[in-house]
Coordinates of all heavy atoms in Angstrom, one line a residue:
M15 N 19.8 110.0 102.2 CA 19.1 108.7 102.3 C 17.8 108.7 101.4 O 17.1 109.7 101.4 CB 18.7 108.4 103.7 CG 17.8 107.2 103.9 SD 18.8 105.7 104.3 CE 19.4 106.1 105.9
A16 N 17.7 107.7 100.7 CA 16.5 107.6 99.8 C 15.9 106.2 99.9 O 16.6 105.2 100.0 CB 16.9 107.9 98.4
K17 N 14.5 106.2 100.0 CA 13.8 104.9 99.9 C 13.7 104.6 98.4 O 13.1 105.4 97.7 CB 12.5 105.1 100.6 CG 11.8 103.8 101.0 CD 10.6 104.0 101.8 CE 10.8 104.3 103.3 NZ 11.5 103.3 104.1
I18 N 14.2 103.4 98.1 CA 14.1 103.0 96.7 C 13.4 101.7 96.5 O 13.6 100.8 97.3 CB 15.5 102.9 96.1 CG1 16.3 104.2 96.2 CG2 15.5 102.4 94.6 CD1 17.7 104.2 95.7
T19 N 12.5 101.7 95.6 CA 11.7 100.4 95.3 C 12.3 99.8 94.1 O 12.4 100.4 93.0 CB 10.2 100.7 95.1 OG1 9.7 101.4 96.2 CG2 9.5 99.5 94.8
Y20 N 12.8 98.5 94.2 CA 13.3 97.7 93.1 C 12.3 96.7 92.8 O 11.9 95.9 93.7 CB 14.6 97.0 93.5 CG 15.8 97.9 93.9 CD1 15.9 98.5 95.2 CD2 16.8 98.3 93.0 CE1 17.0 99.3 95.6 CE2 17.8 99.1 93.4 CZ 17.9 99.6 94.7 OH 19.0 100.4 95.0
I21 N 11.8 96.6 91.6 CA 10.8 95.6 91.2 C 11.5 94.6 90.3 O 11.9 94.9 89.2 CB 9.6 96.3 90.6 CG1 9.1 97.4 91.5 CG2 8.5 95.2 90.3 CD1 7.9 98.2 90.8
E22 N 11.5 93.3 90.8 CA 12.0 92.3 89.9 C 11.1 92.1 88.7 O 9.9 92.5 88.7 CB 12.1 91.0 90.7 CG 13.1 91.0 91.8 CD 13.2 89.6 92.5 OE1 13.4 88.6 91.8 OE2 13.0 89.6 93.7
H23 N 11.6 91.4 87.7 CA 10.8 91.2 86.5 C 9.5 90.4 86.8 O 8.5 90.6 86.2 CB 11.6 90.4 85.4 CG 10.9 90.3 84.1 ND1 10.7 91.4 83.3 CD2 10.3 89.2 83.5 CE1 10.0 91.0 82.2 NE2 9.8 89.7 82.4
N24 N 9.6 89.5 87.8 CA 8.4 88.8 88.2 C 7.4 89.6 89.1 O 6.4 89.0 89.5 CB 8.8 87.5 88.9 CG 9.4 87.7 90.2 OD1 9.4 88.8 90.8 ND2 10.0 86.6 90.8
G25 N 7.7 90.8 89.3 CA 6.8 91.7 90.1 C 7.1 91.8 91.6 O 6.5 92.6 92.3
T26 N 8.1 91.0 92.1 CA 8.5 91.1 93.5 C 9.1 92.4 93.8 O 10.0 92.8 93.1 CB 9.5 89.9 93.8 OG1 8.9 88.7 93.5 CG2 9.8 89.9 95.3
E27 N 8.6 93.1 94.8 CA 9.1 94.4 95.2 C 10.0 94.3 96.4 O 9.8 93.6 97.3 CB 7.9 95.4 95.5 CG 7.1 95.7 94.3 CD 6.1 96.9 94.6 OE1 6.3 97.5 95.6 OE2 5.3 97.1 93.7
H28 N 11.1 95.1 96.3 CA 12.0 95.3 97.4 C 12.1 96.8 97.7 O 12.5 97.5 96.8 CB 13.4 94.7 97.1 CG 13.4 93.3 96.6 ND1 13.6 92.3 97.4 CD2 13.2 92.8 95.4 CE1 13.6 91.1 96.8 NE2 13.3 91.4 95.5
V29 N 11.7 97.2 98.9 CA 11.8 98.6 99.3 C 12.9 98.7 100.3 O 12.8 98.1 101.4 CB 10.5 99.1 99.8 CG1 10.6 100.6 100.1 CG2 9.3 98.8 98.8
V30 N 13.9 99.5 100.0 CA 15.1 99.6 100.9 C 15.5 101.1 101.0 O 15.3 101.9 100.1 CB 16.3 98.7 100.5 CG1 15.9 97.3 100.5 CG2 16.7 99.1 99.1
D31 N 16.1 101.4 102.2 CA 16.7 102.7 102.4 C 18.2 102.6 101.9 O 18.9 101.7 102.3 CB 16.7 103.1 103.8 CG 15.3 103.4 104.3 OD1 14.5 104.0 103.5 OD2 15.0 103.1 105.5
V32 N 18.6 103.5 101.0 CA 19.9 103.5 100.5 C 20.6 104.9 100.9 O 20.0 105.9 100.7 CB 19.9 103.4 99.0 CG1 21.4 103.3 98.4 CG2 19.2 102.1 98.6
A33 N 21.8 104.8 101.4 CA 22.5 106.0 101.9 C 22.9 106.8 100.8 O 23.3 106.4 99.7 CB 23.7 105.5 102.7
N34 N 23.0 108.1 101.0 CA 23.5 109.1 100.0 C 24.9 108.7 99.7 O 25.7 108.3 100.6 CB 23.4 110.5 100.6 CG 22.0 111.0 100.7 OD1 21.1 110.4 100.2 ND2 21.9 112.2 101.3
G35 N 25.3 108.9 98.5 CA 26.7 108.7 98.1 C 26.9 107.3 97.5 O 27.8 107.1 96.7
L36 N 26.0 106.3 97.8 CA 26.1 105.0 97.2 C 25.4 105.2 95.8 O 24.7 106.2 95.6 CB 25.3 104.0 98.0 CG 25.9 103.6 99.3 CD1 25.0 102.6 100.0 CD2 27.3 103.0 99.2
T37 N 25.5 104.2 95.0 CA 24.8 104.2 93.7 C 23.5 103.3 93.9 O 23.4 102.5 94.8 CB 25.6 103.7 92.5 OG1 25.9 102.3 92.8 CG2 26.9 104.5 92.4
V38 N 22.6 103.5 92.9 CA 21.4 102.7 93.0 C 21.8 101.2 92.8 O 21.2 100.3 93.4 CB 20.4 103.1 91.9 CG1 19.2 102.2 91.8 CG2 20.0 104.6 92.1
M39 N 22.8 100.9 92.1 CA 23.3 99.5 91.9 C 23.8 99.0 93.3 O 23.5 97.9 93.7 CB 24.5 99.5 90.9 CG 25.1 98.1 90.8 SD 26.4 97.8 92.0 CE 27.8 98.6 91.3
E40 N 24.6 99.8 94.0 CA 25.1 99.4 95.3 C 24.0 99.2 96.3 O 24.1 98.3 97.2 CB 26.2 100.4 95.8 CG 27.4 100.4 95.0 CD 28.3 101.6 95.2 OE1 27.8 102.7 95.6 OE2 29.6 101.5 95.1
G41 N 23.0 100.0 96.2 CA 21.8 99.8 97.1 C 21.2 98.4 96.9 O 20.8 97.7 97.8
A42 N 21.1 97.9 95.7 CA 20.6 96.6 95.4 C 21.6 95.5 95.8 O 21.2 94.6 96.5 CB 20.3 96.5 93.9
R43 N 22.8 95.7 95.5 CA 23.9 94.7 95.8 C 23.9 94.5 97.4 O 23.9 93.4 97.9 CB 25.2 95.2 95.3 CG 26.4 94.2 95.5 CD 27.7 94.9 95.3 NE 27.9 96.0 96.3 CZ 28.8 97.0 96.2 NH1 29.6 97.0 95.2 NH2 28.9 97.9 97.1
D44 N 24.0 95.7 98.1 CA 24.2 95.6 99.5 C 23.0 95.0 100.3 O 23.1 94.5 101.4 CB 24.5 97.0 100.1 CG 25.8 97.5 99.6 OD1 26.5 96.8 98.9 OD2 26.1 98.7 99.9
N45 N 21.8 95.0 99.6 CA 20.6 94.5 100.2 C 20.3 93.1 99.6 O 19.2 92.6 99.9 CB 19.5 95.4 100.1 CG 19.6 96.7 101.0 OD1 19.4 96.6 102.2 ND2 20.1 97.8 100.4
G46 N 21.1 92.5 98.8 CA 20.9 91.2 98.3 C 19.7 91.1 97.4 O 19.1 90.0 97.3
I47 N 19.4 92.2 96.6 CA 18.3 92.2 95.7 C 18.7 91.5 94.4 O 19.6 92.0 93.8 CB 17.8 93.6 95.5 CG1 17.3 94.2 96.9 CG2 16.6 93.6 94.5 CD1 17.0 95.6 96.9
P48 N 17.9 90.5 94.0 CA 18.3 89.8 92.7 C 17.9 90.7 91.5 O 17.0 91.5 91.6 CB 17.5 88.5 92.8 CG 16.4 88.8 93.7 CD 16.8 89.8 94.7
G49 N 18.5 90.4 90.4 CA 18.1 91.1 89.1 C 19.0 92.1 88.7 O 18.9 92.6 87.6
I50 N 20.0 92.6 89.5 CA 21.0 93.5 89.2 C 22.3 92.8 89.4 O 22.7 92.6 90.6 CB 20.9 94.8 89.9 CG1 19.6 95.6 89.5 CG2 22.1 95.7 89.7 CD1 19.3 96.9 90.2
E51 N 23.1 92.5 88.4 CA 24.2 91.6 88.6 C 25.5 92.5 88.8 O 26.4 92.1 89.5 CB 24.4 90.7 87.4 CG 23.2 89.7 87.4 CD 23.2 88.8 86.1 OE1 24.1 88.9 85.3 OE2 22.2 88.1 85.9
A52 N 25.6 93.5 88.1 CA 26.8 94.5 88.2 C 28.1 93.7 88.1 O 29.0 93.9 89.0 CB 26.7 95.1 89.6
D53 N 28.3 93.0 87.0 CA 29.5 92.2 86.8 C 30.8 93.1 86.8 O 31.8 92.6 87.3 CB 29.4 91.5 85.4 CG 28.4 90.4 85.4 OD1 28.0 90.0 86.5 OD2 28.0 89.9 84.4
C54 N 30.7 94.3 86.4 CA 32.0 95.1 86.4 C 32.2 95.9 87.6 O 33.2 96.6 87.7 CB 32.0 96.0 85.1 SG 31.0 97.5 85.3
G55 N 31.3 95.7 88.6 CA 31.5 96.4 89.9 C 31.2 97.9 89.9 O 31.6 98.6 90.8
G56 N 30.6 98.4 88.8 CA 30.2 99.8 88.8 C 31.1 100.6 87.9 O 31.0 101.9 88.0
A57 N 31.9 100.0 87.0 CA 32.8 100.8 86.2 C 32.1 101.3 84.9 O 32.8 101.8 84.0 CB 34.0 100.0 85.9
C58 N 30.9 101.0 84.7 CA 30.2 101.4 83.5 C 30.8 100.6 82.3 O 31.0 101.2 81.2 CB 30.2 102.9 83.2 SG 28.9 103.4 82.1
A59 N 31.0 99.3 82.5 CA 31.7 98.5 81.5 C 31.0 97.2 81.2 O 31.6 96.3 80.6 CB 33.2 98.3 81.9
C60 N 29.8 97.0 81.7 CA 29.1 95.7 81.5 C 27.7 95.8 81.1 O 27.2 94.9 80.4 CB 29.3 94.9 82.7 SG 28.3 95.3 84.1
S61 N 26.9 96.7 81.6 CA 25.5 96.8 81.3 C 24.6 95.9 82.1 O 23.4 95.8 81.9 CB 25.1 96.8 79.8 OG 24.9 95.5 79.4
T62 N 25.2 95.1 83.0 CA 24.3 94.1 83.8 C 23.7 94.7 85.0 O 23.2 94.0 85.9 CB 25.2 92.9 84.2 OG1 26.2 93.2 85.1 CG2 25.7 92.2 83.0
C63 N 23.7 96.0 85.1 CA 23.0 96.7 86.2 C 21.9 97.5 85.6 O 21.4 98.5 86.2 CB 24.0 97.6 87.0 SG 24.6 99.0 86.0
H64 N 21.4 97.1 84.5 CA 20.4 97.8 83.7 C 19.0 97.7 84.4 O 18.6 96.6 84.9 CB 20.3 97.1 82.3 CG 19.2 97.5 81.5 ND1 18.5 96.6 80.7 CD2 18.6 98.7 81.3 CE1 17.6 97.2 80.0 NE2 17.5 98.5 80.4
V65 N 18.3 98.8 84.4 CA 16.9 98.8 84.9 C 16.1 99.8 84.0 O 16.6 100.6 83.3 CB 16.8 99.3 86.4 CG1 17.5 98.4 87.3 CG2 17.2 100.8 86.5
Y66 N 14.8 99.6 84.2 CA 13.8 100.6 83.6 C 13.4 101.5 84.8 O 12.8 101.0 85.8 CB 12.6 99.9 83.0 CG 13.0 98.9 81.9 CD1 12.9 97.5 82.2 CD2 13.6 99.3 80.7 CE1 13.2 96.6 81.2 CE2 13.9 98.3 79.8 CZ 13.7 97.0 80.0 OH 14.1 96.1 79.1
V67 N 13.5 102.8 84.6 CA 13.1 103.7 85.6 C 11.6 104.0 85.4 O 11.1 104.1 84.3 CB 13.9 105.0 85.4 CG1 13.4 106.1 86.4 CG2 15.4 104.8 85.7
A68 N 10.9 104.1 86.6 CA 9.5 104.4 86.5 C 9.3 105.7 85.7 O 10.1 106.6 85.9 CB 8.9 104.5 87.9
P69 N 8.3 105.8 84.8 CA 8.1 106.9 83.9 C 8.2 108.3 84.6 O 8.8 109.2 84.1 CB 6.7 106.7 83.3 CG 6.5 105.2 83.4 CD 7.2 104.7 84.6
E70 N 7.5 108.3 85.8 CA 7.5 109.6 86.5 C 8.9 110.0 87.1 O 9.0 111.2 87.5 CB 6.5 109.6 87.6 CG 6.8 108.6 88.8 CD 6.2 107.2 88.5 OE1 6.0 106.8 87.3 OE2 6.0 106.5 89.5
W71 N 9.8 109.1 87.0 CA 11.2 109.5 87.5 C 12.2 109.8 86.4 O 13.3 110.3 86.7 CB 11.7 108.3 88.4 CG 11.2 108.4 89.8 CD1 10.1 107.8 90.3 CD2 11.8 109.2 90.8 NE1 9.9 108.2 91.6 CE2 10.9 109.0 92.0 CE3 12.9 110.0 90.9 CZ2 11.2 109.7 93.2 CZ3 13.1 110.7 92.1 CH2 12.3 110.5 93.2
V72 N 11.8 109.5 85.2 CA 12.8 109.7 84.1 C 13.4 111.1 84.1 O 14.6 111.3 84.0 CB 12.1 109.3 82.8 CG1 13.0 109.8 81.6 CG2 11.8 107.9 82.7
E73 N 12.5 112.1 84.2 CA 13.0 113.5 84.1 C 13.7 114.0 85.3 O 14.4 115.0 85.3 CB 11.8 114.4 83.7 CG 11.2 114.1 82.4 CD 12.1 114.4 81.2 OE1 12.9 115.4 81.3 OE2 12.1 113.6 80.2
K74 N 13.4 113.3 86.4 CA 14.0 113.8 87.7 C 15.4 113.3 87.9 O 16.1 113.8 88.8 CB 13.1 113.3 88.9 CG 11.7 113.8 88.9 CD 11.0 113.3 90.1 CE 9.5 113.4 89.9 NZ 8.7 112.6 90.9
L75 N 15.9 112.3 87.2 CA 17.2 111.8 87.3 C 18.2 112.7 86.5 O 17.9 113.2 85.5 CB 17.3 110.4 86.9 CG 16.5 109.4 87.7 CD1 16.6 108.0 87.1 CD2 16.9 109.4 89.2
P76 N 19.5 112.7 87.0 CA 20.5 113.4 86.2 C 20.6 112.7 84.8 O 20.4 111.5 84.8 CB 21.8 113.2 87.0 CG 21.3 112.9 88.4 CD 20.0 112.2 88.3
A77 N 20.8 113.5 83.8 CA 20.9 112.9 82.4 C 22.0 111.8 82.3 O 23.0 111.9 83.1 CB 21.1 114.0 81.4
R78 N 21.9 110.9 81.3 CA 22.9 109.9 81.1 C 24.2 110.6 80.5 O 24.1 111.5 79.7 CB 22.5 108.9 80.0 CG 21.2 108.2 80.3 CD 20.9 107.2 79.2 NE 19.6 106.6 79.3 CZ 18.6 106.9 78.5 NH1 18.8 107.8 77.5 NH2 17.4 106.3 78.6
E79 N 25.3 110.1 81.0 CA 26.6 110.5 80.4 C 26.7 109.7 79.1 O 26.1 108.7 78.9 CB 27.8 110.2 81.3 CG 27.7 110.9 82.7 CD 28.3 112.3 82.7 OE1 29.1 112.5 81.8 OE2 28.0 113.0 83.6
D80 N 27.7 110.1 78.2 CA 27.9 109.4 77.0 C 28.3 108.0 77.2 O 27.8 107.1 76.4 CB 29.0 110.1 76.1 CG 28.6 111.4 75.6 OD1 27.3 111.7 75.6 OD2 29.4 112.2 75.1
M81 N 29.1 107.7 78.2 CA 29.5 106.3 78.4 C 28.4 105.4 78.8 O 28.3 104.3 78.3 CB 30.6 106.3 79.5 CG 31.5 105.1 79.5 SD 33.0 105.5 80.3 CE 32.6 104.9 82.0
E82 N 27.5 105.9 79.6 CA 26.3 105.1 80.0 C 25.4 104.9 78.7 O 24.9 103.8 78.5 CB 25.5 105.9 81.1 CG 24.2 105.1 81.5 CD 23.4 105.8 82.5 OE1 23.8 106.9 83.0 OE2 22.3 105.3 82.9
E83 N 25.3 105.9 78.0 CA 24.5 105.8 76.7 C 25.0 104.7 75.8 O 24.3 103.9 75.3 CB 24.6 107.2 76.0 CG 23.5 107.4 75.0 CD 22.2 108.0 75.6 OE1 22.2 109.0 76.2 OE2 21.2 107.3 75.4
D84 N 26.4 104.7 75.7 CA 27.0 103.7 74.8 C 26.8 102.3 75.4 O 26.5 101.3 74.6 CB 28.5 104.0 74.7 CG 28.7 105.2 73.9 OD1 27.8 105.7 73.2 OD2 29.9 105.7 73.9
M85 N 27.0 102.1 76.7 CA 26.9 100.8 77.3 C 25.5 100.3 77.2 O 25.2 99.1 77.2 CB 27.4 100.8 78.7 CG 28.9 100.8 78.9 SD 29.8 99.6 77.9 CE 29.0 98.0 78.5
L86 N 24.5 101.2 77.3 CA 23.1 100.7 77.2 C 22.8 100.0 75.9 O 21.8 99.2 75.9 CB 22.2 101.9 77.5 CG 21.9 102.2 78.9 CD1 21.1 103.6 79.0 CD2 21.1 101.1 79.6
D87 N 23.6 100.3 74.9 CA 23.3 99.6 73.6 C 23.5 98.1 73.8 O 23.0 97.3 73.0 CB 24.3 100.1 72.5 CG 24.0 101.5 72.1 OD1 22.8 101.9 72.4 OD2 24.8 102.1 71.5
F88 N 24.3 97.7 74.8 CA 24.6 96.3 75.0 C 23.7 95.6 76.0 O 23.8 94.4 76.3 CB 26.1 96.1 75.5 CG 27.1 96.6 74.5 CD1 27.6 97.9 74.6 CD2 27.4 95.8 73.4 CE1 28.5 98.3 73.7 CE2 28.4 96.3 72.5 CZ 28.9 97.5 72.6
A89 N 22.8 96.4 76.6 CA 21.8 95.8 77.6 C 20.8 95.0 76.9 O 20.5 95.2 75.7 CB 21.2 97.0 78.4
Y90 N 20.1 94.2 77.7 CA 19.0 93.4 77.2 C 17.7 94.3 77.0 O 17.2 94.9 78.0 CB 18.6 92.3 78.1 CG 17.5 91.4 77.7 CD1 17.7 90.5 76.6 CD2 16.3 91.5 78.3 CE1 16.6 89.7 76.2 CE2 15.2 90.7 77.9 CZ 15.4 89.8 76.8 OH 14.4 89.0 76.4
E91 N 17.2 94.4 75.8 CA 16.0 95.2 75.4 C 16.0 96.5 76.1 O 15.1 96.8 76.9 CB 14.8 94.4 75.8 CG 14.7 93.1 75.0 CD 13.3 92.4 75.1 OE1 12.5 92.7 76.1 OE2 13.0 91.5 74.3
P92 N 17.0 97.4 75.8 CA 16.9 98.7 76.4 C 15.8 99.6 75.8 O 15.3 99.4 74.7 CB 18.3 99.3 75.9 CG 18.7 98.6 74.7 CD 18.1 97.2 74.9
D93 N 15.2 100.4 76.7 CA 14.1 101.3 76.3 C 14.8 102.7 76.2 O 15.3 103.2 77.2 CB 13.1 101.3 77.4 CG 12.0 102.2 77.2 OD1 12.2 103.3 76.6 OD2 10.8 101.9 77.6
P94 N 14.7 103.3 75.1 CA 15.4 104.6 74.9 C 15.0 105.6 75.9 O 15.8 106.5 76.3 CB 15.0 105.0 73.5 CG 14.5 103.8 72.8 CD 14.0 102.9 73.9
A95 N 13.8 105.6 76.4 CA 13.3 106.6 77.3 C 13.6 106.2 78.8 O 14.0 107.1 79.6 CB 11.8 106.8 77.1
R96 N 13.5 105.0 79.1 CA 13.5 104.6 80.6 C 14.7 103.8 81.0 O 14.8 103.6 82.2 CB 12.2 103.8 80.9 CG 10.9 104.6 80.6 CD 9.7 103.7 80.8 NE 9.8 103.0 82.1 CZ 9.4 101.7 82.3 NH1 8.9 101.0 81.3 NH2 9.5 101.2 83.5
S97 N 15.5 103.3 80.1 CA 16.6 102.5 80.6 C 17.8 103.3 81.2 O 18.1 104.4 80.7 CB 17.2 101.7 79.4 OG 16.3 100.6 79.1
R98 N 18.3 102.8 82.3 CA 19.5 103.4 82.9 C 20.4 102.3 83.5 O 19.9 101.2 83.7 CB 19.0 104.3 84.1 CG 18.2 105.5 83.8 CD 19.0 106.5 82.9 NE 20.2 107.0 83.5 CZ 20.4 108.2 84.0 NH1 19.4 109.0 84.1 NH2 21.6 108.6 84.5
L99 N 21.6 102.6 83.6 CA 22.6 101.8 84.3 C 22.6 102.2 85.8 O 23.0 103.4 86.0 CB 24.0 101.8 83.7 CG 24.0 101.2 82.2 CD1 25.4 101.4 81.7 CD2 23.5 99.8 82.2
T100 N 22.3 101.4 86.7 CA 22.1 101.8 88.1 C 23.5 102.2 88.7 O 23.5 102.9 89.7 CB 21.4 100.7 88.9 OG1 22.1 99.5 88.7 CG2 20.0 100.6 88.6
C101 N 24.6 101.7 88.2 CA 25.9 102.1 88.8 C 26.2 103.5 88.5 O 27.1 104.1 89.0 CB 27.0 101.2 88.3 SG 27.5 101.3 86.6
Q102 N 25.5 104.1 87.6 CA 25.7 105.5 87.2 C 24.8 106.5 87.8 O 24.8 107.7 87.5 CB 25.7 105.6 85.7 CG 26.7 104.8 84.9 CD 28.1 105.0 85.4 OE1 28.6 106.2 85.3 NE2 28.8 104.0 86.0
I103 N 24.0 106.0 88.7 CA 23.0 106.9 89.4 C 23.4 107.0 90.9 O 23.3 106.0 91.6 CB 21.6 106.4 89.3 CG1 21.2 106.2 87.8 CG2 20.6 107.5 89.9 CD1 19.9 105.6 87.6
K104 N 23.9 108.2 91.3 CA 24.3 108.4 92.7 C 23.0 108.7 93.5 O 22.2 109.5 93.1 CB 25.2 109.6 92.8 CG 26.7 109.2 92.5 CD 27.4 109.1 93.8 CE 28.9 109.0 93.6 NZ 29.4 107.6 93.4
V105 N 22.9 108.1 94.7 CA 21.8 108.4 95.6 C 22.0 109.7 96.3 O 23.0 110.0 96.9 CB 21.6 107.2 96.5 CG1 20.5 107.5 97.6 CG2 21.3 105.9 95.8
T106 N 20.9 110.5 96.3 CA 20.8 111.7 97.1 C 19.4 111.7 97.7 O 18.5 110.9 97.3 CB 21.0 112.9 96.3 OG1 19.9 113.0 95.3 CG2 22.3 112.9 95.5
D107 N 19.1 112.7 98.6 CA 17.8 112.8 99.2 C 16.8 113.0 98.0 O 15.6 112.6 98.2 CB 17.7 114.0 100.1 CG 18.5 113.8 101.4 OD1 18.9 112.6 101.7 OD2 18.8 114.7 102.1
A108 N 17.2 113.6 96.9 CA 16.3 113.9 95.9 C 15.7 112.6 95.2 O 14.7 112.7 94.5 CB 16.9 114.8 94.8
L109 N 16.4 111.5 95.5 CA 15.9 110.2 94.9 C 14.9 109.5 95.8 O 14.5 108.3 95.5 CB 17.1 109.3 94.5 CG 17.6 109.4 93.1 CD1 18.0 110.8 92.8 CD2 18.7 108.5 92.9
D110 N 14.5 110.1 96.9 CA 13.6 109.4 97.8 C 12.3 109.1 97.1 O 11.7 110.0 96.5 CB 13.3 110.3 99.0 CG 12.6 109.5 100.1 OD1 12.9 108.4 100.3 OD2 11.7 110.1 100.7
G111 N 12.0 107.8 97.1 CA 10.7 107.3 96.4 C 11.0 106.8 95.0 O 10.0 106.3 94.3
L112 N 12.2 106.8 94.6 CA 12.6 106.2 93.2 C 12.1 104.8 93.1 O 12.2 104.0 94.0 CB 14.1 106.3 93.0 CG 14.6 105.7 91.7 CD1 14.2 106.5 90.5 CD2 16.2 105.6 91.8
V113 N 11.6 104.5 91.9 CA 11.1 103.2 91.6 C 11.8 102.7 90.3 O 11.8 103.4 89.3 CB 9.6 103.1 91.3 CG1 9.1 101.7 91.0 CG2 8.8 103.6 92.6
V114 N 12.4 101.5 90.4 CA 13.1 101.0 89.2 C 12.7 99.5 89.0 O 12.4 98.8 90.0 CB 14.6 101.0 89.3 CG1 15.1 102.5 89.4 CG2 15.2 100.2 90.4
Q115 N 12.6 99.1 87.8 CA 12.2 97.8 87.4 C 13.3 97.0 86.7 O 13.9 97.6 85.7 CB 10.9 97.9 86.6 CG 10.2 96.6 86.3 CD 8.9 96.8 85.8 OE1 8.6 97.8 85.2 NE2 8.0 95.8 85.9
M116 N 13.6 95.8 87.1 CA 14.6 95.1 86.4 C 14.1 94.4 85.1 O 12.9 94.0 85.0 CB 15.1 93.9 87.4 CG 16.1 94.4 88.4 SD 15.3 95.4 89.7 CE 15.7 94.4 91.1
P117 N 15.0 94.3 84.1 CA 14.6 93.6 82.9 C 14.4 92.1 83.1 O 14.8 91.6 84.2 CB 15.8 93.9 82.0 CG 16.9 94.1 82.9 CD 16.4 94.7 84.1
E118 N 14.0 91.4 82.1 CA 13.8 90.0 82.2 C 15.1 89.3 82.5 O 15.1 88.3 83.2 CB 13.2 89.5 80.9 CG 12.8 88.0 80.9 CD 12.2 87.6 79.6 OE1 11.9 88.4 78.7 OE2 12.0 86.4 79.4
K119 N 16.2 89.8 81.9 CA 17.5 89.2 82.2 C 18.5 90.3 82.0 O 18.3 91.3 81.3 CB 17.7 88.0 81.3 CG 17.7 88.3 79.8 CD 17.9 87.0 79.0 CE 17.8 87.3 77.6 NZ 17.9 86.1 76.7
Q120 N 19.7 90.0 82.5 CA 20.9 90.9 82.3 C 21.8 90.2 81.3 O 22.0 89.0 81.4 CB 21.6 91.2 83.6 CG 20.7 91.8 84.7 CD 20.5 93.3 84.4 OE1 20.9 93.9 83.3 NE2 19.8 94.0 85.3
I121 N 22.4 90.9 80.4 CA 23.4 90.3 79.5 C 24.6 91.2 79.4 O 24.6 92.3 79.8 CB 22.8 90.2 78.0 CG1 22.3 91.5 77.5 CG2 21.7 89.1 78.0 CD1 21.9 91.5 76.0
Ligands
FES18 S1 27.9 97.6 87.1 FE1 28.7 97.3 85.1 S2 27.8 98.9 84.0 FE2 27.0 99.1 85.9

């Protein structure tokens, strides 16, 4: 279980507990948090689950796989250092305290 803070583009914060084994995208979806659309349902085929990871978390997350790297090219204003697709991040205890920020829009 990890407590994850999702920050909408307008600054609204949502702090929720997400069970291990779910993805960071599923944590947002299951809690009705706006700003992560996840059109492809988590198949790494859409880029609408894009977020910016808080700088202090960038190095703590597992590295991006090639497929995630490729899909991020289609995201809205990706940041080479901080952008991630939330459907590709599995929740574990190690993610407790994670902070992610949604982009202005999803495309
Ligand atoms: S939900 Fe489509 S890429 Fe993450």
